[in-house]
Amino acid sequence: MTTVVYLIRHGATAVNREIPNRLQGKGIDLPLDPIGREQAARAAEALASHPLRAVYASPMLRALETASIVAVPHGLAPIPVEDIIEADVGRWEGLTWAEASAQDPEQHDQFHANPGTVPYPGGESFQDVQRRSVPALAALAASHAGERIAVIAHNVVNRAVLASLLGLPIDLARALRQSNCGINVLHYHRAGRVELFAMNACLHLEGLEPGP
């Protein structure tokens, strides 16, 4: 009884598309911008022919809005899941990396040397996020044996989950690209075996402005 999980990063907000990149963790709760809504609509279209039993989402506005759009073709409403909320980036919330370096040079260097285990100052590490999100996703899959579900989460959450599935050290999680509304396809089998069938699939987003 295989459960198919479509793990999707939310659509873009205005902050997501800023250059230089600005950190957006659980402390900034913005809606999707027009590009983000179009990304979500494209993801919804890509999954419209794949019958979903449920659509789950982080309780943050950008994830719930994406999930609502993805859920429409299936007559569903999104169900919030606290443990897949985005990472707490502490006092770097809303800063560019240059601003974070200027504010906390030592912690900035430590984070980039060991990004999996060194937390954002006053916040979480990738490992912290992995410890809460991987079991949460497995529990959702277990409750839908033989069905298909969509889960709308976040950049750090998805990368932490994927690192676990790929058997990568958590320090390498940041190297896993997750585009806004990119789709990962996970197959959860009996006895806890999980297969990654697709990662950051983005063909449905062709022609849209890419996110960071």
Side-chain angles (χ1 to χ4, degrees), residues 27-175:
I28 296 178
D29 199 11
L30 295 177
L32 302 180
D33 71 359
I35 293 290
R37 289 192 290 274
E38 177 60 23
Q39 290 168 335
R42 297 276 191 93
E45 184 179 0
L47 296 180
S49 62
H50 301 273
L52 300 179
R53 181 63 174 171
V55 177
Y56 295 95
S58 154
M60 302 204 71
L61 183 57
R62 56 192 182 270
L64 285 171
E65 189 174 349
T66 303
S68 294
I69 295 170
V70 169
V72 166
H74 309 276
L76 299 170
I79 302 168
V81 178
E82 185 68 30
D83 280 339
I84 58 172
I85 198 168
E86 181 59 303
D88 183 348
V89 301
R91 61 175 176 264
W92 288 354
E93 185 74 69
L95 302 183
T96 65
W97 284 111
E99 290 168 344
S101 179
Q103 177 176 295
D104 298 300
E106 184 176 345
Q107 283 137 320
H108 176 272
D109 291 347
Q110 290 174 351
F111 176 84
H112 282 275
N114 299 102
T117 53
V118 174
Y120 295 96
E124 295 179 290
S125 68
F126 272 68
Q127 190 168 72
D128 293 330
V129 174
Q130 188 180 70
R131 284 171 178 158
R132 61 174 166 81
S133 58
V134 170
L137 208 58
L140 293 178
S143 68
H144 290 280
E147 299 174 337
R148 297 172 184 265
I149 63 172
V151 179
I152 315 302
H154 298 270
N155 197 16
V156 175
V157 171
N158 289 11
R159 290 187 289 176
V161 168
L162 292 170
S164 174
L165 297 182
L166 292 167
L168 295 176
I170 192 61
D171 280 338
L172 297 181
R174 288 190 74 228

